[in-house]
Amino acid sequence: MNVKLRLIAMNFFQFFIWGAWLLTIGAYWFQNKQWSGSEFGIIFSTMGISAIFMPALTGIIADRFINAEKLYGILHLLGAMSLFSLPLIEDPVTFFWVMLLNMIFYMPTLSLSISVAYSALKSAGQDVVKDYPPIRIWGTIGFIAALWTVSLTENETSANQFYIAGTVAVALGLYAFTLPKCPPLWTKTGSKSFVDVMGLNAFTLFRQSKFAVFFIFSLFLGAALQLTNAYGDTFLHDFKNIPAYSDTVAVKYPAIIMSISQISETLFILAIPFFLRRFGIKYVMLFSMMAWVLRFGLFAYGNPADGLWMIIMSCVIYGMAFDFFNISGSLFVETQTEPRIRASAQGLFMMMVNGFGALFGSFTSGYIIEHFYTMPDQSKDWPGIWTAFALYALVLAVIFPFAFRYKHRAADVTAIQH
């Protein structure tokens, strides 16, 4: 099997694991266990807590001590054990700790998979900017496949979603040991400074204004992504309480409707090389912010009946909102950092997005929704919620062009292949 096919398989299973439960855990939590909403917000914070330190830590380990593909496999095998444990839990507190353990194992695999893919492609003489996005598409296809599998087997509210995810995690963990070698590169340098010895090289990137601003806005955009993950599926489920919408397709199969977002990703991923070369990371990230404004704004006015087209359009726009920030951001980090700290830098990027960004999005949105958009009968003012999120993204879009002064050069993008 050639390198591209091997990396396609890795990406497919990587995101199948996440897709099997990420958007449907809310239905399991509320419909199956009937646990409280405030506790659910804490569950989603596990992604942020783990991503604050694990991607950066494992990036340091991969840069210095162990092949990235081996560490990647070990983490997936450990994650599978925690996934298999979740259905056995009968109280939300224990569920939180086991889910946190699962996220400690899973979150760093996101950045490690990127490091493994980039290393394998460059070793094979491939152009990463050109060849990686079509490979990454299969991660999105895996996410979609997982959503459809869970939805069509009627496991959106069932504990079986965790068994499905765990089984795939075992398969990927074993498969990882067959992937192309991605050895540590730190030992090839002679530096013995304190920063090098402690593996803190990537954090020195904050000394550069372009990286400092980039990482700060990565945090804010990571919060926007968290809002979609936490509330999108629950938003559609809530329409079951309105007779006029209860029998609509979007309410019966919300996970399938939400999967349109991931289908859109596959299209926008292919557009990334063109947009990066033509406009540069600054404008690509700006396009992402404007897409988030539309994503939330269309949700604010959509409904599963005559407003279904707005929900579908919101899902289509999600592809640009996610890819133009997440995938392009990882490519920016790859082009602008030294080879010996790239795994650490990818971990740092993941920490800002899925760590601090997720925590900021979880806790802030939870507080705002509870105190300003929850009715006395505990129903949610969804138009108000999505409008507030849209305004948040709009503020970011207005400030970003003035704060991020990086000047695009086409040579920076093409340099990644050398």
Side-chain angles (χ1 to χ4, degrees), residues 252-265:
K252 287 182 177 180
Y253 303 101
I256 291 179
I257 294 297
M258 293 301 292
S259 73
I260 296 173
S261 299
Q262 281 66 48
I263 294 172
S264 172
E265 276 188 54

Side-chain angles (χ1 to χ4, degrees), residues 24 144-156 252-253 255-256:
T24 54
I144 296 167
L147 277 174
W148 281 62
T149 298
V150 171
S151 185
L152 293 177
T153 57
E154 300 184 350
N155 283 311
E156 287 193 37
K252 287 182 177 180
Y253 303 101
I256 291 179

Side-chain angles (χ1 to χ4, degrees), residues 99 119 160 215:
M99 178 55 75
S119 174
N160 289 336
F215 284 132

